[in-house]
Amino acid sequence: MDGYPERSPEGDNFLGSNSVLDHPDWLTRLDLRLRNQEEELTLVKSALADALRRLSFYDQQIPLLRRQVLEANFLTSEAGDDPTVLPQDNGAFWILHPALSNDSSSPAAQQTGGRTQLLPGAKRTQGSRVTIGTQTEESAMWVLRQGQSLINGHDRGEPVQVPSDKGERYCIGDPAGGGHPDPPKNSFGIQGAGADLGCAAEGQSLPQEPQTQRDGCFVPNACSDEVEDVRGSPSEDSVDKVPSMGQSRPSTQPPGLETTSPGSPSEGSSNSSTPASPVPAVQSLMTSKKELLRRNSSSDKPTKTKQRLTKKAASSANLLNRSSSLENRIKDPTLSPGPVSTRRTNYNQERHSVKMFLRGRPITMYIPSAFLNYDDLRMEQPSEKLQLDWVYGYRGRDCRSNLYVLASGELVYFIACVVVLYHVQNRTQRHYLKHTDCVRCLAVHPDRVRVASGQMAGVDKDGKPLQPFVHIWDSSTLLPLQEIGLGSFERGVGSLAFSTADEGMYLCVVDESNEHMLSIWDCSRATKLAEIKSTNESVLTVEFNPEDSSNIITTGKSHVYFWTWSGSSLTKKQGIFGKYKKPKFIQCFVFDTNSDVLTGDSEGNILTWARVAADVRTLGKGAKETYQISKQTRAHEGSIFSLCLCHDGTVLSGGGKDRRLVHWSPNLTLLQEMEIPEQFGAVRTIAEADGGELLVGTTRNALLRGSFVDGFRPIIQGHTDELWGLGTHPSRDLFVTCGYDKQLCMWDGGEHTLAWSVTLEETGLCADFHPSGKVVTVGLSTGRWVVLGTETRQVLSTNTDGNEQLSVVRYSPDGEFLAIGSHDNFIYIYSVEESGHKYTRFGRCTGHSSFITHLDWSKDGKFIMSNSGDYEILYWDVAGGCKLLRNRFENKDREWASYTCVLGFQVFGVWPVGSDGTDINSLCRSHNERVVAVADDFCKVHLFQYPCAKPKAPSHEYWGHGSHVTNVRFTHNDGYLISMGGKDTSIFQWRVLGGSLPRSRSLSSASVSSQDAGAST
């Protein structure tokens, strides 16, 4: 299992389900350990690359140093026969150290002409700090610069500079000499940092950075120790690969320069020895030279190499010790400035890239050329805002008593975290958006203005629990009046009911805890009056007796309870079925005009529970009246899901299995019936509107309106299972959605209606329109994809690519290509002809190491940018044969027709602190390239400024979805934003407001009305 242990040290099997439950912290510890190892590997790779660079540097410089020393020896002819004495312009002589001469017996200092001077910088070097990792490299640079000074005529004692990775300055020469204002040139004719060997590949021309001189000391630009990934190299094709430690690098020097003078010892000889020297820099250079020769020799023993590797490993450990806490570093998406240079290409990249980490994996993004002053870039909230315009869908699949008619004529129902008020005649919606998790139940006050809505418990993005509560709010103003039960309910609120006899003074609540606690609250004071454990079985409905608020009835699994409330006490009596078969569920009930109770059960029967006088003889004085079954009426085949008492005293019943809607007289005589079409599902709830019109909510999340005479037509429709696929029309306010319910739906955003829907053979996961708008392509869960005509709804083409699910389909902006991203790690490219009616396989993009998640086309339709499940950002040349563009640096200025990839320089600022890489499901840039909308895993939609290229960028946040938001898309003219919830099956249409304010203006203090869709500014 990819390195994961299958057994614990104690021998427990971690793969067994019971063992996993016994070790709840195992996955957490394993994940943390994996993150730590990934971070350590990154540092080890950096250390190894640094070692290879240094080895390459030594191999290149040792022959050069020897050549420079030999050439310098020829200049000693003016100083006499002693080759260790070099002349100066002022008549003095430099004394060359024995290590640099051919005469190992020469003294370290020699008097010539009565004047003696030490080699410039020798004393300073002995006392200087070594900051380049090893003394050998710094010494080599010192000797190189000194030799260059001698060869190029800089023999007047000018200061020579030694570079340092730490930015420290070293001046070699007499401080009183003033120094030379220009940096010395080396034998290659390159000045300053450009001559800093190891920073540029052989034969590579680099732009020079301005050099700094302080206090007479020249500060060269140093190479960075940052390591780039393979695909992050600015110019990988022209890079000379650095040999490994066991590989010999061929020499590029002329053969004549490899030989030593007759008097010098041979490096390869076993009798060779390094002469004692008072100058440690030169001595270290000679030692390093021999070590390098041994390292490149195949006959040498590996003991020395092992010792050096051990020292480097210790150095890597020091890097880990110096770093901050690994747990803190890998928890947050770390962002750091780009490297000064990349060792792989040796290209100066100072401030040309940024890097972020997701789950310990570095992601490098190059800064486009348009960002001249990246450090000055400010991220602000956009001037555009969102306002919830329309909600598509209705929660009827698993909720009851969720449809009512208000005094204003509006229908009130809920889906996700939104309570919708829909005016059928005016075709308008209003929304109550104060809930923090999915709404589960509704109750309407007797005045038909106030509404009570209860929600489920949830968790926030940090894993902290969100407690359930009940809101009592005014439907005319959408303002909350009371918050009831915060901290009192467990799991959620299952059922609600207002009292009727006392004009709605009290509210009865049943929660979703194991004991299904029943409580009674004072609505005006939000105080609890009584509470009791009801039952361990499911409770489905609760109601007050409309004539006596002290009597309450609950029904559910295998029970009917009749409650008596007095003060702070509640007592119950269980309904006795007697000679009648006890049903498994009693799913609904109503009080008829005689105050009898009618219950509908899972057997398809309507039972009439009549009041019976108290049995004083048996129960004694003070006994109260009870309910007993007086009549059984066979009503439906299968369960009865809903009962409704009409204004005229008649009763309506809705069946589940038979999908029948039946109208009964007050004494339960059949009057008329009809069957709901199968496409809408079974009857979930029934409500009577003014004028006798009927409203029916179904189990397939549809609201129907009509009558027995005229039939029923849908006024609200929605999906019934998790949603993922979303595509917007290129020129109209149309969009398509698809999901696990195998339905492909075309929605009209202007009319707020479902234009059409078709049933797919498999689950639809992604969709996109052809630029002509005449066809739409849908990717399925089996690797198949289908093309349908938007007008005919007919399947025009069907193809299969692989056997894994398809995660993204996208047409090129000119409509000539179709790209299909699959979970088999490939992107399939098709050429498109006849306005999307004909498709021919063009090629396949191969290179991702994980499944494809997102992709976008360039504006010219020739290139693709793609993301994968392991956080890769790759670029492809489609027109050139679906080639992988390994040089990502060259793509930093490419313009993209759309931007839906969640990883990239222009959008990396949308990632939240502490993200694990799965917190953002989708994003979409507006067509005017001003804002980017984000769908996250915490039920929120965000609106960011575009580009969003700084960490922790501010945004507008919008609530309403009750599940992870799976997709977002702007319509063709940026007038609307469409967002989809996952398991809540909701589709939100947001109106985009504003956009005229300048971006420099801060909107943090802007006020938002109570109807502005819960925007957080």
Side-chain angles (χ1 to χ4, degrees):
M1 291 182 57
D2 299 333
Y4 291 91
E6 295 186 3
R7 294 187 178 273
S8 67
E10 293 79 10
D12 296 333
N13 183 9
F14 280 148
L15 301 182
S17 58
N18 294 334
S19 178
V20 172
L21 294 176
D22 296 338
H23 300 80
D25 298 332
W26 176 69
L27 291 178
T28 302
R29 289 186 282 104
L30 188 60
D31 182 66
L32 180 60
R33 181 179 177 185
L34 180 61
R35 295 184 183 184
N36 292 342
Q37 290 178 348
E38 290 177 348
E39 187 72 12
E40 292 173 1
L41 285 175
T42 301
L43 295 175
V44 170
K45 290 179 181 179
S46 175
L48 291 177
D50 181 63
L52 292 176
R53 183 180 68 84
R54 296 178 191 278
L55 291 176
S56 176
F57 172 79
Y58 297 149
D59 289 340
Q60 294 176 4
Q61 297 312 310
I62 286 179
L64 178 62
L65 293 175
R66 295 179 58 190
R67 185 186 67 181
Q68 292 172 347
V69 171
L70 290 175
E71 293 177 355
N73 288 338
F74 288 107
L75 300 179
T76 61
S77 58
E78 298 180 2
D81 296 335
D82 193 347
T84 63
V85 180
L86 302 181
Q88 293 192 96
D89 291 344
N90 57 6
F93 291 89
W94 295 110
I95 300 177
L96 189 65
H97 193 273
L100 298 180
S101 69
N102 293 330
D103 186 5
S104 59
S105 63
S106 299
Q110 182 173 342
Q111 298 286 340
T112 303
R115 302 178 64 182
T116 303
Q117 294 189 17
L118 291 178
L119 186 64
K123 182 177 181 180
R124 183 70 59 95
T125 305
Q126 290 179 355
S128 63
R129 294 174 54 193
V130 179
T131 60
I132 310 184
T134 61
Q135 187 177 354
T136 304
E137 180 175 349
E138 185 171 344
S139 304
M141 292 300 299
W142 178 86
V143 176
L144 171 62
R145 299 297 175 88
Q146 185 64 29
Q148 293 167 357
S149 176
L150 293 173
I151 294 173
N152 293 322
H154 295 280
D155 52 357
R156 299 177 179 85
E158 295 91 348
V160 181
Q161 297 77 24
V162 179
S164 170
D165 285 353
K166 302 293 184 180
E168 301 177 15
R169 296 173 292 169
Y170 297 87
C171 301
I172 301 177
D174 186 5
H180 199 280
D182 297 327
K185 292 185 178 181
N186 60 19
S187 57
F188 292 136
I190 305 176
Q191 291 185 357
D196 206 0
L197 299 175
C199 291
E202 184 177 352
Q204 185 176 1
S205 176
L206 298 179
Q208 298 302 313
E209 297 291 340
Q211 299 167 343
T212 307
Q213 183 175 357
R214 297 179 184 174
D215 303 329
C217 297
F218 173 72
V219 182
N221 290 321
C223 289
S224 171
D225 290 335
E226 201 66 47
V227 177
E228 288 295 331
D229 58 328
V230 175
R231 300 182 180 88
S233 305
S235 180
E236 291 187 354
D237 296 337
S238 62
V239 175
D240 293 334
K241 300 297 180 180
V242 179
S244 61
M245 288 187 176
Q247 180 180 357
S248 176
R249 183 184 181 97
S251 175
T252 59
Q253 300 297 332
L257 295 180
E258 291 292 336
T259 60
T260 60
S261 59
S264 63
S266 173
E267 290 86 344
S269 172
S270 60
N271 297 327
S272 62
S273 60
T274 305
S277 170
V279 184
V282 180
Q283 181 179 3
S284 178
L285 174 63
M286 300 299 292
T287 304
S288 175
K289 173 182 175 183
K290 294 185 179 182
E291 182 63 33
L292 287 171
L293 291 176
R294 285 195 295 267
R295 185 181 295 112
N296 290 330
S297 174
S298 59
S299 61
D300 194 35
K301 296 182 181 180
T303 55
K304 297 292 183 179
T305 303
K306 290 183 179 180
Q307 293 178 359
R308 294 181 65 84
L309 289 176
T310 302
K311 293 180 180 180
K312 176 55 68 176
S315 176
S316 301
N318 292 335
L319 288 176
L320 290 173
N321 293 333
R322 289 198 303 267
S323 65
S324 60
S325 174
L326 288 177
E327 297 183 9
N328 295 333
R329 292 182 62 183
I330 62 179
K331 180 178 180 182
D332 298 341
T334 308
L335 299 122
S336 61
V340 178
S341 68
T342 56
R343 292 195 187 96
R344 185 172 298 277
T345 61
N346 298 322
Y347 184 83
N348 193 312
Q349 293 252 112
E350 186 173 4
R351 308 305 298 169
H352 283 179
S353 67
V354 294
K355 183 175 291 186
M356 65 180 292
F357 288 83
L358 288 176
R359 299 184 66 86
R361 182 186 181 96
I363 304 171
T364 302
M365 296 159 288
Y366 294 98
I367 302 175
S369 302
F371 291 83
L372 300 178
N373 298 311
Y374 175 73
D375 291 336
D376 297 333
L377 181 64
R378 294 181 56 194
M379 291 289 102
E380 298 179 347
Q381 290 177 328
S383 57
E384 293 84 352
K385 292 186 178 181
L386 301 179
Q387 184 180 51
L388 189 57
D389 178 69
W390 200 266
V391 175
Y392 300 88
Y394 153 81
R395 186 168 181 172
R397 55 177 179 164
D398 58 355
C399 292
R400 297 168 175 81
S401 302
N402 54 5
L403 176 63
Y404 298 92
V405 181
L406 301 176
S408 61
E410 295 171 302
L411 308 184
V412 57
Y413 59 93
F414 58 82
I415 182 172
C417 303
V418 181
V419 183
V420 182
L421 293 84
Y422 176 39
H423 199 289
V424 179
Q425 286 76 20
N426 298 340
R427 298 191 57 79
T428 59
Q429 280 188 357
R430 296 187 298 141
H431 311 98
Y432 182 76
L433 296 153
K434 300 301 182 182
H435 284 282
T436 59
D437 209 274
C438 288
V439 180
R440 191 61 189 272
C441 53
L442 280 179
V444 175
H445 195 272
D447 62 11
R448 298 176 63 192
V449 174
R450 283 174 283 179
V451 178
S453 52
Q455 72 167 58
M456 300 299 294
V459 294
D460 62 10
K461 66 178 182 179
D462 297 324
K464 297 180 180 179
L466 297 175
Q467 296 177 331
F469 56 80
V470 175
H471 270 184
I472 300 177
W473 46 280
D474 190 327
S475 63
S476 59
T477 62
L478 298 179
L479 296 177
L481 303 176
Q482 293 289 352
E483 182 178 81
I484 290 179
L486 184 63
S488 298
F489 307 133
E490 293 184 17
R491 298 182 183 172
V493 179
S495 301
L496 292 172
F498 279 103
S499 61
T500 305
D502 45 25
E503 299 180 352
M505 290 182 59
Y506 306 108
L507 181 70
C508 184
V509 183
V510 180
D511 70 7
E512 295 285 354
S513 64
N514 292 336
E515 296 82 11
H516 294 92
M517 302 297 296
L518 184 148
S519 56
I520 299 176
W521 300 76
D522 187 324
C523 295
S524 60
R525 301 178 181 177
T527 56
K528 186 190 301 183
L529 303 178
E531 184 179 36
I532 193 173
K533 298 178 181 179
S534 62
T535 176
N536 290 331
E537 303 291 351
S538 299
V539 178
L540 302 178
T541 56
V542 61
E543 288 288 346
F544 281 93
N545 188 320
E547 297 181 353
D548 185 2
S549 296
S550 63
N551 292 331
I552 302 170
I553 299 178
T554 61
T555 64
K557 184 177 180 181
S558 302
H559 75 269
V560 177
Y561 289 146
F562 300 92
W563 298 86
T564 301
W565 169 41
S566 177
S568 61
S569 65
L570 285 161
T571 58
K572 70 177 179 182
K573 291 184 180 180
Q574 185 171 0
I576 305 300
F577 290 90
K579 63 180 180 179
Y580 301 99
K581 179 181 179 181
K582 186 177 182 179
K584 187 175 182 179
F585 287 95
I586 295 90
Q587 295 162 315
C588 53
F589 71 91
V590 294
F591 289 89
D592 65 10
T593 54
N594 299 323
S595 295
D596 293 337
V597 178
L598 306 179
T599 61
D601 57 43
S602 56
E603 300 296 326
N605 298 320
I606 298 178
L607 300 179
T608 302
W609 299 74
R611 289 191 176 191
V612 178
D615 188 357
V616 179
R617 293 182 180 180
T618 304
L619 301 177
K621 190 175 182 180
K624 297 184 179 180
E625 61 184 7
T626 59
Y627 287 88
Q628 293 182 358
I629 299 175
S630 62
K631 183 179 179 180
Q632 176 177 282
T633 304
R634 182 66 177 175
H636 293 270
E637 293 294 331
S639 297
I640 300 176
F641 282 168
S642 179
L643 291 172
C644 176
L645 181 66
C646 298
H647 299 313
D648 57 3
T650 58
V651 177
L652 295 170
S653 64
K657 183 178 180 180
D658 60 8
R659 305 190 315 278
R660 291 167 57 237
L661 182 65
V662 183
H663 191 196
W664 305 89
S665 67
N667 59 359
L668 296 183
T669 301
L670 180 62
L671 298 178
Q672 49 189 335
E673 62 178 327
M674 69 172 301
E675 184 175 325
I676 300 298
E678 183 178 2
Q679 69 185 87
F680 301 122
V683 178
R684 174 62 73 190
T685 187
I686 307 169
E688 184 183 19
D690 297 334
E693 193 173 48
L694 300 180
L695 300 163
V696 177
T698 71
T699 56
R700 293 188 65 82
N701 295 347
L703 286 180
L704 309 179
R705 175 191 179 198
S707 64
F708 286 97
V709 177
D710 300 329
F712 290 83
R713 61 181 181 85
I715 56 176
I716 292 292
Q717 291 179 263
H719 285 271
T720 59
D721 210 339
E722 188 169 352
L723 297 176
W724 280 97
L726 172 63
T728 53
H729 195 278
S731 58
R732 300 173 58 189
D733 286 334
L734 300 176
F735 60 93
V736 293
T737 57
C738 57
Y740 286 6
D741 60 358
K742 301 180 181 180
Q743 294 294 313
L744 176 67
C745 298
M746 173 79 79
W747 305 90
D748 188 332
E751 297 294 329
H752 301 136
T753 58
L754 176 66
W756 53 261
S757 66
V758 296
T759 302
L760 304 172
E761 296 182 4
E762 293 103 13
T763 298
L765 298 176
C766 51
D768 192 37
F769 282 90
H770 186 271
S772 66
K774 296 180 179 179
V775 299
V776 61
T777 298
V778 183
L780 307 179
S781 60
T782 58
R784 295 178 62 245
W785 52 276
V786 297
V787 182
L788 297 91
T790 56
E791 300 295 336
T792 63
R793 313 178 198 175
Q794 299 297 319
V795 176
L796 304 177
S797 178
T798 302
N799 295 273
T800 302
D801 289 304
N803 55 5
E804 299 286 342
Q805 69 182 50
L806 304 181
S807 52
V808 56
V809 293
R810 186 83 69 240
Y811 283 96
S812 62
D814 54 11
E816 294 184 359
F817 292 104
L818 173 66
I820 301 169
S822 172
H823 269 229
D824 62 7
N825 304 356
F826 300 132
I827 301 176
Y828 300 92
I829 307 297
Y830 282 81
S831 60
V832 183
E833 300 174 354
E834 300 177 7
S835 299
H837 288 69
K838 183 179 179 180
Y839 296 83
T840 305
R841 172 75 77 85
F842 180 81
R844 186 178 70 175
C845 299
T846 304
H848 272 294
S849 56
S850 184
F851 57 91
I852 313 302
T853 58
H854 308 83
L855 65 85
D856 291 292
W857 285 90
S858 61
K859 289 186 176 180
D860 57 10
K862 297 180 180 180
F863 301 90
I864 284 179
M865 170 177 57
S866 58
N867 292 167
S868 62
D870 58 351
Y871 321 125
E872 281 184 319
I873 308 174
L874 298 188
Y875 300 89
W876 312 87
D877 182 0
V878 175
C882 302
K883 297 179 181 178
L884 173 63
L885 301 177
R886 298 187 179 275
N887 189 350
R888 294 191 292 119
F889 180 79
E890 294 181 352
N891 292 276
K892 63 187 179 68
D893 293 328
R894 200 173 304 282
E895 295 184 350
W896 303 100
S898 62
Y899 213 117
T900 60
C901 289
V902 298
L903 296 175
F905 173 79
Q906 286 83 352
V907 297
F908 79 87
V910 306
W911 285 89
V913 175
S915 175
D916 65 353
T918 63
D919 295 336
I920 294 179
N921 298 314
S922 174
L923 63 79
C924 181
R925 183 194 66 192
S926 61
H927 296 86
N928 60 15
E929 302 186 12
R930 288 182 54 86
V931 294
V932 57
V934 174
D936 72 10
D937 231 25
F938 310 108
C939 313
K940 290 186 292 186
V941 175
H942 300 256
L943 198 65
F944 289 88
Q945 170 187 320
Y946 181 86
C948 188
K950 280 292 186 71
K952 300 181 181 179
S955 69
H956 298 302
E957 297 179 355
Y958 300 90
W959 291 269
H961 287 288
S963 176
H964 52 289
V965 187
T966 57
N967 219 328
V968 286
R969 288 292 183 272
F970 285 96
T971 55
H972 69 103
N973 60 357
D974 295 333
Y976 297 102
L977 174 72
I978 310 299
S979 64
M980 297 195 314
K983 294 184 178 180
D984 65 18
T985 72
S986 63
I987 304 171
F988 288 3
Q989 180 172 314
W990 307 84
R991 184 182 300 274
V992 181
L993 305 176
S996 60
L997 297 177
R999 286 193 173 181
S1000 60
R1001 176 179 174 182
S1002 174
L1003 297 177
S1004 59
S1005 61
S1007 61
V1008 181
S1009 68
S1010 61
Q1011 302 180 25
D1012 276 353
S1016 173
T1017 57

